[in-house]
C-alpha cells in the first residue's frame, strides 16, 4: 500500500505548557539537529523508509530559512524525504528557500473567510509547487453545523477562536454560503471546499466522522467556472466577514 499513497508530515515545533485556556502555545524549533531527530522519529513511527513531503510547521525566527532548506536538500539526497515545503509562509521567505532547495508545496490558511494568502497562489504556480489550504472550512464554521450554542472540550482550540466568540456576526456570510450551495445542490461545506479547489489549492479539511469524510470528498464533484468564482469573490468582497483565527480578511 505504501506505493499507493503519499505521506506528508511536519517538523519544527514543540508545545509549551497550557496558557490556561486549554490551548498549548506553539514554540518554533528548526535547529538542524532537531530536524534530523524529527525525521528519524517520523520514519520510525510511520514505519516507512521515506516521507513524500516534509513540511516545516512554522518559521523559526532563530534559524534562517536558507539553513532549513539546506538540511532539506541533504535529506532529499539521502532518500529520507522526496520533497519539502513550508507552512505559514510569505512570498519573500518562500523565494529565499527556493534558491537553496526547490519547494514542493506550501501549506497556508485559505478559506472563504481567510483570503489574505490568495496573492501567493500565482507565485506557488510560478514555482511549480502546490498550495495546500489548511482550515478551508474556517475550523468548521463554514460547515454551517456548529451553531451558536456549541461548546468545546478541553484542548479544543476552537474555544479561543474569534469566529466562534460572536456567532451572530457570521450570519451574513453563512447566508451567502447557503445560497451558493443550494445553486449546486451541495452542502455549505462542499461549496466552500469547491471554491478552494477552484483557486488551484488542495484543501485539507478535518474530518472526525466517516459521514463528514464522505461529504467532503463529494466536493470534488462540484466544478465552479472562472465566472462563478469571480462572482463569489465579488459577493465575498461586500459581505460582512468577521475576524477569523489567524488574522482578518484585510
Amino acid at each position: 500500500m505504501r506505493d499507493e499513497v503519499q505521506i506528508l508530515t511536519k517538523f519544527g515545533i514543540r508545545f509549551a505548557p497550557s496558557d490556561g485556556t486549554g490551548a498549548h502555545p506553539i514554540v518554533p524549533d528548526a535547529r538542524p539537529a532537531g530536524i534530523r531527530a524529527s525525521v528519524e522519529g517520523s520514519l520510525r513511527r510511520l514505519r516507512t523508509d521515506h516521507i513524500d513531503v516534509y513540511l516545516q510547521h512554522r518559521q523559526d525566527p532563530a534559524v534562517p530559512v536558507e539553513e532549513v532548506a539546506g538540511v532539506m536538500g541533504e535529506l532529499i539526497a539521502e532518500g529520507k524525504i522526496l520533497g519539502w515545503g513550508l507552512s505559514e509562509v510569505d512570498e519573500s521567505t518562500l523565494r529565499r528557500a527556493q534558491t537553496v532547495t526547490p519547494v514542493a508545496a506550501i501549506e497556508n490558511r485559505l478559506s472563504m473567510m481567510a483570503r489574505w494568502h490568495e496573492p501567493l497562489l500565482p507565485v506557488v504556480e510560478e514555482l511549480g509547487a502546490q498550495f495546500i489550504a489548511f482550515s478551508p472550512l474556517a475550523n468548521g464554521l463554514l460547515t454551517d453545523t456548529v451553531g451558536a450554542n456549541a461548546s468545546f472540550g478541553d484542548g479544543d482550540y476552537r474555544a479561543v477562536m474569534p469566529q466562534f466568540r460572536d456567532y451572530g456576526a457570521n450570519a451574513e456570510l453563512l447566508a451567502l454560503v447557503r445560497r451558493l450551495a443550494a445553486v449546486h445542490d451541495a452542502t455549505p461545506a462542499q461549496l466552500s471546499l469547491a471554491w478552494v479547489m477552484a483557486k488551484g489549492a488542495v484543501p485539507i479539511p478535518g474530518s472526525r466522522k466517516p459521514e463528514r469524510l464522505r461529504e467532503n470528498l463529494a466536493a470534488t464533484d462540484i466544478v465552479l467556472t472562472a465566472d462563478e468564482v469571480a462572482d463569489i469573490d465579488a459577493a465575498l468582497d461586500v459581505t460582512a466577514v468577521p475576524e477569523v483565527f489567524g488574522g482578518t480578511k484585510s
Side-chain angles (χ1 to χ4, degrees), residues 3 23 28 37 49 76 106 117 122 177 185 199 207 219 242 244 246:
D3 294 336
D49 63 354
I76 290 171
I106 73 164
H117 287 306
V177 175
D185 193 25
K199 293 284 182 177
S207 302
V244 63

Side-chain angles (χ1 to χ4, degrees), residues 176-249:
L176 171 64
V177 175
R178 286 187 211 110
R179 290 197 300 272
L180 295 169
V183 171
H184 292 274
D185 193 25
T187 66
Q190 290 168 340
L191 187 283
S192 300
L193 295 173
W195 177 86
V196 170
M197 289 185 284
K199 293 284 182 177
V202 175
I204 48 172
S207 302
R208 298 184 181 184
K209 300 177 181 178
E211 59 267 30
R212 290 298 180 206
L213 180 58
R214 286 190 285 268
E215 176 186 351
N216 292 338
L217 287 171
T220 59
D221 296 329
I222 303 170
V223 179
L224 300 175
T225 67
D227 287 343
E228 286 177 314
V229 173
D231 288 344
I232 292 172
D233 289 352
L236 289 171
D237 288 341
V238 296
T239 298
V241 178
E243 183 184 4
V244 63
F245 182 72
T248 65
K249 73 172 185 176

Side-chain angles (χ1 to χ4, degrees), residues 7-62:
I7 294 177
L8 287 74
T9 191
K10 289 182 170 181
F11 69 92
I13 65 165
R14 54 186 171 83
F15 292 95
S18 174
D19 59 7
T21 65
H24 292 265
I26 292 173
V27 180
D29 185 355
R31 292 170 295 177
I35 293 174
R36 287 196 165 273
S38 293
V39 74
E40 294 297 342
S42 289
L43 291 170
R44 182 178 65 255
R45 289 187 297 271
L46 292 166
R47 291 179 293 182
T48 183
D49 63 354
H50 70 280
I51 295 164
D52 294 277
V53 181
Y54 205 35
L55 292 162
Q56 184 179 7
H57 206 130
R58 294 287 188 278
Q59 293 304 299
D60 183 346

Side-chain angles (χ1 to χ4, degrees), residues 38 41 61 65 72 112 115 117 132 161 179 200:
S38 293
V65 72
M72 294 299 105
M112 296 172 87
R115 299 173 59 198
H117 287 306
I132 301 170
M161 291 183 178
R179 290 197 300 272

